[in-house]
Amino acid sequence: MTDPNAIQPSELDQLPDRDPEETAEWQASLDAVAKAAGPHRAAYLMRRTLERAEGNGIALPKLLETDYVNTIPTSAEPGLPGDPEMEARITAWNRWNAAAMVTRGSKYGVGGHIATFASAAWLYETGFNHFFKGKEADGSGDQLYIQGHASPGIYARAFLDGRLNEAHLDNFRRESGGNGLPSYPHPRRLPWLWEFPTVSMGLGPLSAIYQARFNRYLTNRGIKDVSASHVWAFLGDGEMDEPESTAALALASREGLDNLTFVINCNLQRLDGPVRANFKIVQELEAQFRGAGWNVIKTLWGSAWDELFQLDTTGALVRRLREVPDAQVQTYQTRDAAYIRQDFFGADPALIEMAKLLSDDKILECFHLSRGGHEARKVYAAYKAAVEFKGAPTVILAQTVKGHTLGEGFASKNANHQMKKLTVDEFKTMRDLLELPISDSDFVDGVVPYGHPGADSPEVRYLQERRAALGGPAPARRTHALAPLPAPAEKAFASFDKGSGSQNVATTMAFVRLVKDLVRDKETGKRWVPIVPDEARTFGMESLFPSLGIYSPKGQTYEPVDRDQLMYYKEAKNGQILNEGITEAGSMADFIAASTAYSTHGEAMIPFYIFYSMFGWQRTADQMWQLGDQLGRGFLVGATAGRTTLTGEGLQHADGHSPVIAATNPASLTYDPAFAYEVATIVKDGLRRMYGEAAPGEDPNVFYYLTVYNEPLPQPAKPAGLGIDEGIVKGLYRFNTAESAGLDVAAANAPRIQLLGSGTAIHWALKAQRLLAEEWGVAADVWSATSWTELRRDALEADAALLRGEERVPYVRQALHGAEGPVLAVSDYMRQVPDQIAQWVEQDYSSLGADGFGLSDTREAARRHFGVDAESIVVAALAQLARRGEVKATAVKEAREKYGL
């Protein structure tokens, strides 16, 4: 009996049916087809009908999966231009040398990967021969994100075209001698070849999307027309499991980035085994990308399969291909024809009949060798369709065999990612398969030879001619002889020297005010790239919205709700601000693209990315490492910094360790400025070093990390005297003495202590200085430690110089030399931060810090909890002096009781 309360089908459809009779006829037709020809035929007709509707512009939900066949049928493939036989010989040489390089290096135990490039060779070679534009092409050429594990193949090609020699190949993964090749794409290690670090998996695809987006940003803002540049990202199907790999797919489709192509090498294997053993990774990726709005091209089967598809008059073959899980496809790769006949074809009567028409050789050719990613014609068809498609990014899902051409010991084996070498016999088999003119006598003492047809050979001439036609060698990184950017007007920086008087100003606000002045500079203002992850109002940046605009490729297609307000939310096609929403990873990818535009596009851009300091290094430190590798320049700004300064937020917002993480990155110059004038001095010097005239021995390929605070406090005037700016930049200077602070220390020989504070902690030190003088008769000098990390690095360099026989005194020791009394250091971070310099301080040294997890409370209560407030500093100072016999031991107990500690 029907439930009267049940929802009826008609109630589920919110759209009224204007012609129920016509609807019923369509449904009856579908039922008839399903009954007469089977559900698969009905599904086929439905798919074709939906495709026709889409082609006619009828708005319908898109199909997320298609059959497990090539998107571009053989009949629609364009002819392959150029000389296919010549390209096959070039690819054979590159396959050989990539394997030889890794195998020869294995005797040193340095490792390497062979199987990845073996599967992807044609994906790269087809691009190099016909698509990838070099630096001399229009715009800035193309940007290539090479899959890290395929680097031996890229080196092999550079060897063939004369950019590398045998000595380079023999030093693969052995760089210390100065003539080596890095394991993976590392621009910092090989800056003339590699542009983009990619081997930290997932960061390549994320960065590629934001690079394509930043290309549009440069064009739309009128900085440089790079509309002819195309971004190609080569990825592994296993790599797509990384969350960063798919984090920005919607951004790419939303902004119509048809200047971007992902090429996913679907060899069905990750590092330990199948990617989706019991499922189908290609189908999963197709649905994921289609659902995100991408154009999807599947290049799965080689030409040997054409005969099988022509015999498939019932659709049984397509159905079987769709249902066989990936791990079983891998098994077919390693089994004989009898097994395949039984397991694959034996599952369906129609396939049994088909198999009777196929020879064993034909079956093995299809299941062992013939994949779309191994045929230049099919790859060319996919690439051509990708670059011609407009309105959305394209992903090419190219099926290959991992370890292809390396022999039965490699192909599709679960362990092949960890297999580092071939035997001599395996090389000889490979030589015969690739038809290379290498004789047995070339294997001297069992060492596999490199192969090269000669610098003036037809192969090398063809390769070089093709690259010349496409704009020069690739990949390649350009080092542009850019003129230094003119320094902004001094007024922007000097305005902070006089302090804020009685007005309370947080250093976060000081930084934002400085940037507001700098972006108005006529010479360099347009080159600033403000980046913020949806917290602009938190940092007081909303005033920049109407003046700079928020970048949107569509401009502003709506009337903002706050249009009648002075600081309304303004989006613009030429907007300068990149407001990325809640994505620190996306914001960092923005920063990387902007910070390396000086090389990628020959345009120096000045990015600053401002974020909750807790959500920068802790979340995206891997991208900061990528930034350093890519030789990026710019300003990272950790706002709302410190463990006790962000009131009420608690454990997961309270940053007590970002300077520790930042200190591990050699390219990061980490500063914790206390005052507005320090912020201005550091930014000024950073602009000089990164974009102006770097001093001899200074590396301009660095980036700055500044921590700034949301605690409004009076900003003092910049102290007078020589060396203040130098001290700020180097990391330490004396802010005042007890005497210059106007404190009355009665005894001429009063005990003295040196208080070192960074960031907001200097305010607690200044209060402690007053308490020590007024209540305990102790004179304290206060020092601003703007960078514990730079002090440590300078000291480490001084130590290294001493070992070389050079006399050099660390700056921290020079600065504190002769300072009377012990040293007490304090910051709003864990003690490990100030303790970085302890071993180079000649005075007795101790520190205070906010170790442990953060907690929700007022600033005062949190500082008392961690023992870093002014009163805690006083007690710690008295304890130091008591140990030296300079104050009574009872003073420590008295102070604890007096302050309730």
Side-chain angles (χ1 to χ4, degrees):
M1 181 176 178
T2 303
D3 182 357
N5 296 317
I7 298 176
Q8 301 302 309
S10 61
E11 296 179 59
L12 295 174
D13 192 347
Q14 295 294 317
L15 298 175
D17 191 341
R18 294 185 300 177
D19 193 340
E21 184 176 346
E22 181 183 38
T23 302
E25 290 175 358
W26 276 77
Q27 292 171 336
S29 297
L30 181 64
D31 293 342
V33 171
K35 183 176 181 181
H40 298 293
R41 177 62 180 169
Y44 176 84
L45 292 176
M46 286 297 298
R47 284 197 299 272
R48 293 296 177 263
T49 302
L50 289 171
E51 289 171 0
R52 175 57 64 88
E54 182 180 349
N56 289 338
I58 300 173
L60 288 171
K62 291 185 178 181
L63 290 170
L64 295 185
E65 286 187 35
T66 60
D67 285 323
Y68 202 65
V69 297
N70 294 350
T71 303
I72 303 172
T74 301
S75 59
E77 292 171 1
L80 182 64
D83 186 337
E85 292 185 5
M86 182 69 73
E87 292 174 17
R89 292 204 297 273
I90 291 170
T91 304
W93 284 117
N94 291 338
R95 285 182 179 278
W96 176 272
N97 288 322
M101 180 194 327
V102 176
T103 297
R104 286 169 67 134
S106 67
K107 68 180 180 181
Y108 300 105
V110 295
H113 300 283
I114 301 177
T116 296
F117 178 72
S119 67
W122 276 114
L123 302 180
Y124 290 105
E125 293 298 324
T126 304
F128 285 128
N129 288 326
H130 301 287
F131 291 94
F132 303 157
K133 295 187 289 292
K135 294 298 184 183
E136 302 305 323
D138 290 343
S140 304
D142 289 352
Q143 287 83 55
L144 308 180
Y145 288 77
I146 305 295
Q147 191 179 0
H149 294 132
S151 59
I154 308 305
Y155 290 140
R157 193 168 221 274
F159 171 64
L160 202 64
D161 73 12
R163 293 194 291 165
L164 294 175
N165 56 40
E166 287 194 13
H168 288 114
L169 302 193
D170 266 344
N171 284 294
F172 173 61
R173 290 195 169 201
R174 295 192 300 139
E175 298 179 77
S176 60
N179 197 32
L181 300 178
S183 53
Y184 302 123
H186 292 303
R188 187 168 284 276
R189 292 302 183 202
L190 202 61
W192 60 267
L193 180 71
W194 298 120
E195 274 197 291
F196 307 108
T198 55
V199 80
S200 188
M201 289 191 285
L203 299 189
L206 179 67
S207 293
I209 290 173
Y210 280 89
Q211 182 65 58
R213 197 280 197 94
F214 190 74
N215 290 358
R216 290 279 173 85
Y217 172 89
L218 285 179
T219 300
N220 289 337
R221 286 198 55 219
I223 302 293
K224 183 179 181 179
D225 184 357
V226 294
S227 55
S229 293
H230 199 88
V231 178
W232 299 82
F234 289 84
L235 320 167
D237 45 1
E239 181 179 5
M240 299 309 295
D241 283 346
E242 289 284 6
E244 295 89 350
S245 295
T246 56
L249 298 186
L251 166 69
S253 60
R254 183 170 66 245
E255 298 201 1
L257 298 181
D258 49 25
N259 60 339
L260 170 68
T261 298
F262 276 17
V263 181
I264 303 182
N265 179 19
C266 297
N267 56 36
L268 314 185
Q269 287 186 251
R270 54 190 179 197
L271 307 189
D272 286 332
V275 179
R276 292 289 182 275
N278 298 295
F279 307 93
K280 301 190 79 63
I281 186 60
V282 169
Q283 299 299 91
E284 178 183 319
L285 291 174
E286 178 185 27
Q288 192 170 17
F289 277 88
R290 284 190 188 279
W294 287 53
N295 174 43
V296 179
I297 299 173
K298 288 166 31 177
T299 303
L300 307 180
W301 307 111
S303 55
W305 284 82
D306 290 348
E307 179 183 344
L308 275 67
F309 288 124
Q310 290 171 2
L311 294 173
D312 185 29
T313 57
T314 66
L317 176 62
V318 173
R319 290 197 301 273
R320 182 64 177 145
L321 289 174
R322 188 181 178 93
E323 68 188 20
V324 174
D326 283 353
Q328 192 63 22
V329 173
Q330 298 295 80
T331 298
Y332 295 148
Q333 176 69 34
T334 63
R335 297 300 182 91
D336 59 20
Y339 178 89
I340 299 171
R341 284 182 187 277
Q342 178 181 352
D343 191 88
F344 182 84
F345 291 98
D348 187 291
L351 293 180
I352 293 175
E353 294 303 312
M354 179 189 294
K356 293 177 181 178
L357 304 175
L358 303 174
S359 67
D360 284 356
D361 286 345
K362 182 65 176 180
I363 289 174
L364 292 179
E365 180 187 14
C366 288
F367 284 84
H368 283 195
L369 301 174
S370 187
R371 299 292 187 274
H374 294 323
E375 295 190 12
R377 176 176 175 133
K378 295 193 178 296
V379 175
Y380 179 86
Y383 285 7
K384 188 171 188 294
V387 297
E388 292 177 353
F389 189 86
K390 301 302 177 186
T394 294
V395 60
I396 296 169
L397 304 174
Q399 187 161 270
T400 65
V401 175
K402 193 167 185 177
H404 184 57
T405 73
L406 297 181
E408 295 182 0
F410 266 82
S412 292
K413 294 297 178 68
N414 283 340
N416 61 19
H417 189 80
Q418 307 302 330
M419 297 162 68
K420 312 298 183 186
K421 59 183 178 180
L422 278 70
T423 65
V424 169
D425 287 342
E426 286 171 330
F427 267 110
K428 290 178 179 179
T429 301
M430 181 183 178
R431 171 201 61 191
D432 296 340
L433 175 65
L434 298 176
E435 300 180 347
L436 291 172
I438 297 174
S439 67
D440 288 354
S441 61
D442 292 330
F443 292 81
V444 179
D445 296 328
V447 177
V448 58
Y450 295 122
H452 200 294
D456 197 38
S457 64
E459 292 92 336
V460 173
R461 288 202 305 272
Y462 181 88
L463 182 155
Q464 293 175 341
E465 288 168 1
R466 291 305 309 139
R467 289 311 314 157
L470 287 166
R477 182 178 180 275
R478 178 71 60 82
T479 301
H480 297 270
L482 298 179
L485 292 183
E490 181 64 25
K491 180 180 177 182
F493 305 103
S495 63
F496 294 91
D497 291 352
K498 61 185 178 181
S500 64
S502 60
Q503 182 184 6
N504 290 335
V505 177
T507 50
T508 299
M509 295 300 100
F511 178 84
V512 172
R513 178 186 150 191
L514 174 63
V515 169
K516 286 172 64 177
D517 290 340
L518 293 175
V519 296
R520 295 191 186 103
D521 186 82
K522 293 182 179 180
E523 295 288 339
T524 60
K526 68 178 182 179
R527 298 194 174 274
W528 283 87
V529 183
I531 303 168
V532 60
D534 206 35
E535 289 277 8
R537 297 183 193 277
T538 301
F539 307 136
M541 293 175 59
E542 64 269 29
S543 61
L544 297 177
F545 290 167
S547 58
L548 301 184
I550 299 166
Y551 173 74
S552 169
K554 288 193 173 184
Q556 194 154 37
T557 60
Y558 61 92
E559 183 176 356
V561 67
D562 54 0
R563 183 62 181 86
D564 58 343
Q565 298 180 16
L566 180 63
M567 293 184 287
Y568 69 98
Y569 196 80
K570 176 186 175 183
E571 296 188 78
K573 190 173 182 179
N574 64 346
Q576 194 165 349
I577 301 169
L578 292 173
N579 191 324
E580 290 304 350
I582 305 174
T583 168
E584 286 82 9
S587 299
M588 267 306 301
D590 262 337
F591 187 90
I592 291 170
S595 70
T596 54
Y598 74 91
S599 172
T600 308
H601 296 298
E603 295 288 344
M605 305 299 289
I606 312 171
F608 81 87
Y609 164 35
I610 187 167
F611 50 88
Y612 265 59
S613 66
M614 185 68 162
F615 305 146
W617 287 88
Q618 176 161 300
R619 287 191 177 180
T620 56
D622 196 14
Q623 286 179 285
M624 274 76 160
W625 202 259
Q626 178 190 13
L627 167 64
D629 192 349
Q630 201 167 318
L631 299 105
R633 306 170 184 174
F635 297 95
L636 298 176
V637 183
T640 61
R643 181 146 281 165
T644 70
T645 307
L646 189 57
T647 55
E649 290 283 11
L651 187 148
Q652 285 191 304
H653 284 64
D655 171 24
H657 54 277
S658 70
V660 177
I661 307 175
T664 66
N665 191 311
S668 173
L669 276 61
T670 303
Y671 286 90
D672 187 25
F675 305 124
Y677 67 81
E678 293 179 352
V679 172
T681 301
I682 293 165
V683 171
K684 178 182 177 181
D685 193 70
L687 291 173
R688 175 200 61 79
R689 176 169 177 171
M690 295 185 291
Y691 301 97
E693 297 283 0
E698 275 188 330
D699 182 5
N701 298 315
V702 294
F703 59 93
Y704 284 65
Y705 176 52
L706 280 71
T707 48
V708 293
Y709 300 81
N710 69 330
E711 185 172 14
L713 291 164
Q715 293 296 326
K718 188 175 185 178
L722 298 174
I724 298 297
D725 284 1
E726 179 188 24
I728 292 172
V729 171
K730 288 191 171 183
L732 183 68
Y733 69 97
R734 182 154 48 194
F735 175 72
N736 70 13
T737 64
E739 292 76 13
S740 67
L743 299 173
D744 182 17
V745 182
N749 59 345
R752 187 173 290 269
I753 190 169
Q754 308 298 318
L755 301 180
L756 277 57
S758 69
T760 196
I762 202 167
H763 295 282
W764 323 329
L766 288 169
K767 181 179 177 182
Q769 178 190 44
R770 180 174 55 79
L771 292 175
L772 283 166
E774 294 176 355
E775 300 182 5
W776 305 97
V778 172
D781 300 338
V782 175
W783 299 69
S784 180
T786 54
S787 179
W788 309 100
T789 302
E790 287 307 295
L791 292 173
R792 175 179 175 80
R793 286 178 178 167
D794 172 79
L796 290 172
E797 290 173 7
D799 286 355
L802 286 172
L803 293 176
R804 296 191 301 266
E806 303 170 17
E807 278 296 327
R808 183 174 162 192
V809 179
Y811 174 79
V812 64
R813 183 166 294 171
Q814 294 179 42
L816 290 170
H817 180 68
E820 185 181 346
V823 169
L824 175 61
V826 60
S827 78
D828 203 12
Y829 299 94
M830 56 196 303
R831 289 177 60 183
Q832 187 175 337
V833 174
D835 284 352
Q836 291 181 85
I837 66 170
Q839 72 186 80
W840 293 280
V841 175
E842 60 187 22
Q843 293 88 346
D844 292 339
Y845 187 91
S846 64
S847 64
L848 297 175
D851 286 80
F853 288 113
L855 77 165
S856 300
D857 215 312
T858 64
R859 293 184 180 117
E860 293 76 14
R863 287 162 187 168
R864 176 58 59 91
H865 170 81
F866 286 108
V868 293
D869 60 350
E871 291 78 7
S872 298
I873 295 173
V874 170
V875 172
L878 293 173
Q880 259 190 304
L881 292 168
R883 284 194 296 271
R884 295 162 57 94
E886 297 181 21
V887 300
K888 294 179 181 180
T890 56
V892 180
K893 181 181 178 182
E894 292 172 12
R896 283 201 306 266
E897 293 174 351
K898 180 180 179 68
Y899 301 132
L901 296 176

